[in-house]
């Protein structure tokens, strides 16, 4: 594996950790979201999706990509795009 992939995989690990912390904070820290009740429910739903789908997908696809899987690479890039969006 070349240095680019090693750095990209390390950055992905950091992204997963930070996304997990942010999502847990959004779910369990009252007053974190200073919006209307409707918008707070939407943000909490987004936090649940991030914790239950996006982070596990990013982890699994990163591992598959590391083994040379094209589908793993595509899913990994897609999950990174979700985090950027």
């Amino acid at each position: 594996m070349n240095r680019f992939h090693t750095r990209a995989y390390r950055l992905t690990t950091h992204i997963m950790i930070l996304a997990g912390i942010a999502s847990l904070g959004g779910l369990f820290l009252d007053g974190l979201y200073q919006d209307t009740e409707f918008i707070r429910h939407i943000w909490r739903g987004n936090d649940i999706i991030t914790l239950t789908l996006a982070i596990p997908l990013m982890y699994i696809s990163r591992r598959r990509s590391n083994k040379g899987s094209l589908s793993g690479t595509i899913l990994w890039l897609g999950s990174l795009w979700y985090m950027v969006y």
Side-chain angles (χ1 to χ4, degrees):
M1 181 172 14
N2 62 27
R3 283 184 9 213
F4 171 76
H5 286 117
T6 302
R7 287 182 185 162
Y9 293 143
R10 284 185 189 156
L11 286 173
T12 300
T13 301
H14 294 298
I15 290 169
M16 288 186 294
I17 292 168
L18 292 173
I21 292 169
S23 294
L24 288 171
L27 289 172
F28 297 112
L29 295 177
D30 290 333
L32 184 64
Y33 297 128
Q34 301 293 318
D35 292 308
T36 65
E37 189 66 23
F38 178 73
I39 299 298
R40 282 194 299 260
H41 287 301
I42 292 172
W43 284 122
R44 287 188 177 128
N46 188 45
D47 291 334
I48 291 169
I49 295 296
T50 299
L51 283 173
T52 60
L53 293 175
I55 293 174
L57 175 67
M58 184 177 279
Y59 176 76
I60 292 167
S61 61
R62 184 194 62 168
R63 288 185 55 125
R64 291 187 64 197
S65 174
N66 192 23
K67 294 179 182 178
S69 168
L70 179 61
S71 63
T73 302
I74 292 169
L75 287 172
W76 173 53
L77 293 174
S79 63
L80 283 172
W81 181 248
Y82 171 79
M83 294 296 182
V84 169
Y85 178 74

